[in-house]
Amino acid sequence: MSHYAGVLAARSPWPRTFYYGWVTLTVSALAMVGTLPGRTQGLGLITEPLIRDVGIDRVAFAQINLVATLIGSLFCFGIGRLMDRHGSRVVLTGVSIALGVSVLLMSRAAGLWTLAACLLLTRGLGQSALSVVSLAAVGKWFSRRLPAAMAVYTLVMSVGFMAAFPLIGAVTSARGWRVSWTIVGLALVAGLAPLSWLLVRSTPEACGLRLDGDAAVDEERLDSHSQPADDDATLAGAVRTPAFWVFGLASAAYGLVASGIALFNESILAERGFEAAVYHRSLAFTALAALAGNFAAGALAARASLRRLLVIAMVLLGGGLAALPHVSTEPHVVAWAIAMGVAGGFVMVVFFSFWGRAYGRAHLGRIQGAAQALTVLASAIGPLLLAWCVSSTGSYAIAFYTLSIVVLILTVAAAVVRIPVRLASGASPLQEPR
C-alpha cells in the first residue's frame, strides 16, 4: 500500500483525494457540446439563412444533408480503432482541430459542391467521430462508478448545449450564419483542442494510477475495475452477442424517434390543433425532464441493472408514441413532453454506460463506434420516415403507432436478453448469473 501511495503522490499533480477521471470527464462533455455544428439541432440554427445565401432550395439541401449523414456515419468505425491504438488525448485533440477547420471552411462555402463536402466533414467528424471519442474517453476511465459518471457527464453536456444554442442563435440573427460558424470553428481549434491536449489522459494508468493485485489500494481514488482485463471483448466478440444489438437498436430507436419529432414537432402538434407557442413551451419541459432523467438513471444505476433502466425508458417511449396521436389539451402535451424527456435521459445514461460495463475498455473505442453508427443511421432515417408517412397518409399517426409496436418488441427483447458479464476469475464473459 505504501508503494502505491508513493507512486500516486509522485506521478499525479492533484491531491490524493481527487480522482483525475473527473477532469477527463469534464473535457469530454465539452467535446460533446463541440459536436453541435455536426448535429441536426445545430445545423437547424443556420439552415434558413444558409439556403438563402448559397442559393439552393430546401429539397436539395435536405437531400445533401441525408447523404452527408449516412456517409458521415462511417467515421464512427475508423475513429474507434484510432482511439484504442493512440489514446483519448491524441485523438480528441486531432478530431477537434479537424472539425474546427471543417466548420471554418464551411463558413466560407459559396457553391453547392463545396457546401456538400463541408457538410459531410462536419457530420462525419462531429456527429460521428467526436461523439464516439467523447463517450469512449469517459468509459476508459470509469467502470464501477460509470453510471454516476455518465449522469454528471450528461449534466455538464446539457448545460453546455443550453448555453450554446441561444448564443449561436443570437449571433446568427445579428451577424449572419458565416460569422457564427467562424466563431464555432475557432472555439474548436483554439479552445477545445488545447484543453484536450493539456488536460485529457487516456486511462488511469496514464496518470500513474494502477491496480496490481493490491486490493487495499485507495478505492476512492481508483475506480476499482479500471484495468483492461483478459476477458475484455473485441468488436467482433461484442457484435456476436444479442445484447449488443438489443441495446444498440433500442438506443437507435430512440434516436430515430427523437430526430424525426425534433424536426417536425411544430407540424406534429399543429396537426393536433396546437399553435407554435405550445410547441416552444413543450421544449422546456422536455429539456428539464431529460436532466431529471439523467440524474435519476445515474442514481438508480448504482442499485438497479442497466437492463431495468432501458426497459423503463422503452415503456415511456412506446407509451408516448402511442399517446401522441390522441393529445388534445396542453396538459396532455406537457405530460407527453415530460415522458419523452425522462425516457431520453434514461436512454442516454444507459447508452453511455452499457458498452464499457458489458465489454470492457480494451476495445471500447471500436465497440462504442459501432453502436454510435447505429444511432447516427437511425437519426438520419427518422425525419425521412415521418415525412414519407405524412405525405402518403396525410397524418403522422400511422408512423407513431408503427414505431410504438417496434419499441414494444425491443422492450421485451431488453427484458429477456442475456447480458455479458466480465469476470476477473476467468469465467466466460458471455455468462450472466441468474
Side-chain angles (χ1 to χ4, degrees), residues 16 20 42 45 54 91 96 101 111 156 173 182 206 231 258-259 264 268 315 326 351 408:
R16 275 192 86 243
Y20 196 85
L45 295 171
V54 179
V91 178
S96 299
V101 170
V156 177
S173 298
T182 298
D231 58 5
S259 65
F264 299 120
I268 291 168
V315 169
H326 302 283
F351 182 79
L408 174 62

Side-chain angles (χ1 to χ4, degrees), residues 50-130:
L50 184 152
I51 60 178
R52 290 196 300 267
D53 188 11
V54 179
I56 60 174
D57 61 59
R58 196 177 306 277
V59 174
F61 182 72
Q63 292 171 337
I64 292 172
N65 177 64
L66 175 63
V67 173
T69 303
L70 293 175
I71 297 177
S73 67
L74 299 176
F75 284 54
C76 291
F77 297 100
I79 201 66
R81 180 181 295 273
L82 287 175
M83 187 173 179
D84 290 334
R85 180 174 298 175
H86 300 291
S88 307
R89 179 193 187 193
V90 171
V91 178
L92 184 55
T93 302
V95 174
S96 299
I97 293 173
L99 177 59
V101 170
S102 300
V103 174
L104 290 171
L105 290 174
M106 185 172 170
S107 71
R108 291 162 175 74
L112 183 63
W113 290 107
T114 304
L115 175 64
C118 291
L119 189 58
L120 169 60
L121 289 174
T122 57
R123 284 294 199 180
L125 292 168
Q127 185 178 30
S128 297
L130 191 55

